[in-house]
Amino acid sequence: MAPMEPPMGAGGNRRDFMRNGFGSFALVCTFAAQSSLRGSEVTKSSAPATSAGRRFQAASPFTPFQRDLPIPPVLAPVSTRNGVDVYSVDIKDGIAEILPGFETPIYGYEGVYPGPTIRAVKGRPSVVRQTNKLGFDSNVHLHGGYVPAKHDGHPMDVILPGKSFDYTYPNEQDAAMLWYHDHAHGRTAHTLYYGLAGMYLLSDERDVELGLPQDEYDVPLMLADHAFNKDGSFRYAENVDLGFRGDTILVNGAVSPRMTVQRRIYRLRFLNASNARSYNLKLGNGRTMLQVASDGGLLEKPVSRSTVLIHPAERVELLVDFRGFRPGSEIVLQNIDGESPGTKSVMRFDVESGGGAEEFVIPTGRMRTLEKLPAPNASRRWDLGLFTQSGVQWRIAERGFNPDRIDVRPRLGSSELWQWHNPSNRVHPMHLHGMLFRIVERSTGVVHPADRGWKDTIGVLPGETATVQPWFIPHTGRYVFHCHALEHGDKAMMLQLEVEK
Ligand SMILES: [Cu+2]
């Protein structure tokens, strides 16, 4: 394996990274008071003494709800050949303006953060030519996709600097909110944190038949927690046990933004692209939201929810009906598990007057019939644990990742029962590549109706034993399954399976 490059965007060096990464700039909130802001929006004279007070002073770059929600650009195909859409993406350094007046160096697909959204249609394959213009190995994993092993972005299948790879995506599965991100082994905590993530929205005619909101009323939302250095660059400090925790929530790359909404129904598609933080989402007034989809697409029936827990790498799609709100209402979406003002405010919806005729509907009956799985023909238990004999590492069934070892060889078309046993005090969002599973049982209680659809990631809670049933379709070959707390996955919490004919 190539030596690890320092995980810096443009303009950084290893020494700066080490200093900033491991120093004790305890509270980024102090940033506003000390900053040398180019646009000088910050006035520090009347700053209150506490960091929380500073954060909520108007006009700090960390003040929530100051920026309109950005929507990542939709990638246009460079060509269409025989019904296949061909895209071209450069993986490269870029600069994002996340804090007004500051430049934040990133790694980005097409140099932007979040990466451009790819909109694909079921039955219509796409080819994405990814060119690695970074100085170190990269690759691309389509998370949640039924993708041939060669195109899955296995951690050892990398694109060398200066090279390209054509990822072919069949798009044969039902509509779902997928996402794409770097998966080069050992550095995903750095590369995702520094920006290598984008959304991949696969649609089919069922969305239209059901009358679900479309176009501007169908909104992709990428959540990620970050922290900042005084120069506006991302601050990262490695913590292999806890995983990274930032003190600021970004939605589509903006600090707790606001979104103007009409008095209509919206489909809000949340992706948790954070390294290791889980969110517990709640609308400010406790109004219920209707969950229509999870990782693997539509649920059988919509599920009414007042809070929604979303772990790293999971997706949750909610319908929110703003017709019941008065014009001028400001509705905050909170993360009730946040530990500080900056990690509690996710975003705000500002309801406009007017609204017009609603052309979308809220489904009330069955949206989808989930396929029946074959009876399981094996049962396995995977213990999730910390290993501290040679530095801090994580283990699955007392094993760390070894690319030369296949840990399980299921047969194509079969299914098994996999029991995740988590005696540790961390959440482990366990993810299976290239395939989907169903949640069968949780020791902490019944399986929530919203968790009964197709899944590719399950947040296994501290002390919990969760049983899932993967279905090993539709491709043979070598894949991985791992913890999606990125610091855990990088530090060996990953095993390999090979699906055999
Ligand atoms: Cu983990």
Side-chain angles (χ1 to χ4, degrees), residues 127-132 150-153 158-159 163-168:
V127 172
V128 185
R129 166 163 293 191
Q130 294 277 2
T131 301
N132 181 6
K150 193 175 163 228
H151 299 272
D152 174 65
V158 294
I159 311 171
K163 302 290 184 193
S164 297
F165 186 80
D166 290 352
Y167 290 93
T168 300

Side-chain angles (χ1 to χ4, degrees), residues 394 426-430 483-485 488-489 493:
W394 286 91
R426 306 292 177 222
V427 175
H428 298 291
M430 301 307 298
C483 182
H484 223 287
H488 298 182
M493 201 171 192

Side-chain angles (χ1 to χ4, degrees), residues 376-398:
N377 61 0
S379 194
R380 301 175 198 278
R381 174 180 161 130
W382 307 106
D383 291 316
L384 307 173
L386 194 64
F387 177 80
T388 52
Q389 277 164 32
S390 52
V392 180
Q393 293 223 324
W394 286 91
R395 292 285 185 264
I396 300 172
E398 298 181 348

Side-chain angles (χ1 to χ4, degrees), residues 250-475:
L250 304 184
V251 183
N252 292 348
V255 176
S256 306
R258 65 183 176 214
M259 176 184 168
T260 302
V261 294
Q262 298 169 14
R263 297 174 69 201
R264 299 184 59 156
I265 305 164
Y266 282 73
R267 180 180 191 171
L268 305 176
R269 307 194 192 214
F270 289 92
L271 157 66
N272 184 352
S274 306
N275 281 35
R277 177 185 289 278
S278 302
Y279 301 81
N280 200 352
L281 303 175
K282 183 182 183 186
L283 272 182
N285 59 356
R287 186 79 59 116
T288 54
M289 306 171 278
L290 203 64
Q291 184 171 344
V292 290
S294 64
D295 300 347
L298 292 173
L299 302 173
E300 286 204 309
K301 289 177 181 168
V303 178
S304 177
R305 309 198 72 175
S306 53
T307 59
V308 176
L309 186 59
I310 179 168
H311 298 291
E314 285 188 315
R315 284 87 71 210
V316 168
E317 300 189 29
L318 303 170
L319 295 187
V320 178
D321 187 349
F322 291 104
R323 289 175 299 184
F325 293 96
R326 280 206 195 92
S329 305
E330 296 176 340
I331 304 136
V332 174
L333 184 73
Q334 311 164 64
N335 167 31
I336 55 174
D337 288 353
E339 69 281 357
S340 63
T343 54
K344 277 184 158 64
S345 305
V346 178
M347 62 186 295
R348 193 180 73 193
F349 302 99
D350 295 358
V351 182
E352 280 187 331
S353 54
E358 182 58 76
E359 56 213 68
F360 305 114
V361 296
I362 291 179
T364 49
R366 182 170 289 266
M367 297 187 293
R368 179 189 195 183
T369 301
L370 296 173
E371 303 87 331
K372 224 173 141 52
L373 283 140
N377 61 0
S379 194
R380 301 175 198 278
R381 174 180 161 130
W382 307 106
D383 291 316
L384 307 173
L386 194 64
F387 177 80
T388 52
Q389 277 164 32
S390 52
V392 180
Q393 293 223 324
W394 286 91
R395 292 285 185 264
I396 300 172
E398 298 181 348
R399 292 174 172 192
F401 180 58
N402 178 350
D404 299 324
R405 187 190 66 222
I406 301 292
D407 298 282
V408 49
R409 295 177 186 277
R411 258 186 199 287
L412 182 67
S414 71
S415 81
E416 300 182 353
L417 290 176
W418 284 15
Q419 201 179 67
W420 302 110
H421 175 62
N422 181 12
S424 79
N425 56 358
R426 306 292 177 222
V427 175
H428 298 291
M430 301 307 298
H431 168 51
L432 174 62
H433 278 220
M435 282 147 263
L436 300 172
F437 58 78
R438 302 279 287 283
I439 303 175
V440 176
E441 195 172 16
R442 307 191 80 135
S443 64
T444 44
V446 292
V447 179
H448 192 283
D451 283 337
R452 291 187 190 152
W454 286 110
K455 294 281 293 169
D456 57 55
T457 306
I458 175 174
V460 187
L461 303 174
E464 188 183 34
T465 299
T467 306
V468 303
Q469 186 173 4
W471 193 4
F472 302 104
I473 56 165
H475 299 289

Side-chain angles (χ1 to χ4, degrees), residues 70-237:
I71 301 293
V74 174
L75 196 64
V78 290
S79 68
T80 296
R81 288 194 298 261
N82 305 322
V84 178
D85 293 319
V86 180
Y87 298 90
S88 176
V89 173
D90 287 345
I91 310 169
K92 61 184 185 182
D93 290 327
I95 296 289
E97 188 171 338
I98 294 168
L99 309 174
F102 284 91
E103 293 182 343
T104 303
I106 57 155
Y107 303 134
Y109 295 109
E110 293 291 276
V112 299
Y113 172 72
T117 299
I118 296 176
R119 283 191 174 268
V121 178
K122 185 183 177 184
R124 199 181 163 83
S126 40
V127 172
V128 185
R129 166 163 293 191
Q130 294 277 2
T131 301
N132 181 6
K133 295 194 169 172
L134 297 170
F136 51 88
D137 298 351
S138 188
N139 76 0
V140 181
H141 169 53
L142 182 64
H143 186 123
Y146 275 174
V147 172
K150 193 175 163 228
H151 299 272
D152 174 65
H154 184 286
M156 307 312 288
D157 294 341
V158 294
I159 311 171
L160 299 174
K163 302 290 184 193
S164 297
F165 186 80
D166 290 352
Y167 290 93
T168 300
Y169 302 133
N171 298 327
E172 281 165 349
Q173 68 203 92
D174 287 347
M177 181 187 193
L178 314 180
W179 61 301
Y180 63 99
H181 64 77
D182 182 63
H183 215 305
H185 183 54
R187 48 171 139 243
T188 64
H190 295 295
T191 52
L192 269 72
Y193 183 75
Y194 282 90
L196 290 181
M199 294 177 277
Y200 188 103
L201 304 180
L202 178 59
S203 62
D204 62 22
E205 70 275 7
R206 192 73 186 126
D207 290 335
V208 180
E209 286 168 13
L210 288 168
L212 292 170
Q214 308 275 320
D215 306 318
E216 62 187 292
Y217 308 102
D218 174 7
V219 186
L221 299 160
M222 182 190 286
L223 306 180
D225 58 332
H226 278 79
F228 292 86
N229 294 309
K230 283 184 283 183
D231 62 0
S233 59
F234 283 142
R235 180 164 59 92
Y236 181 79

